[in-house]
Amino acid sequence: MKRAVRIVILMVGLACTYVLVATPILQADGGPMPLCNPKTAKSCDK
């Protein structure tokens, strides 16, 4: 029984880790765009 509880806890933790990694990282409000080339794009400073 203890082994089953440990396995369930580890599987839930693993699933939560995958969900956190899979969610897109949102841009900070007013921060620079992460992949913006200032030479070609004029909206990098927004």
Side-chain angles (χ1 to χ4, degrees), residues 7-29:
I7 290 173
V8 169
I9 291 172
L10 288 174
M11 293 300 287
V12 169
L14 190 64
C16 290
T17 302
Y18 282 131
V19 169
L20 286 174
V21 170
T23 55
I25 298 172
L26 299 176
Q27 178 182 345
D29 194 25

Side-chain angles (χ1 to χ4, degrees), residues 32-45:
M33 296 177 71
L35 298 175
C36 186
N37 187 357
K39 294 180 181 176
T40 58
K42 295 181 181 179
S43 62
C44 290
D45 56 353

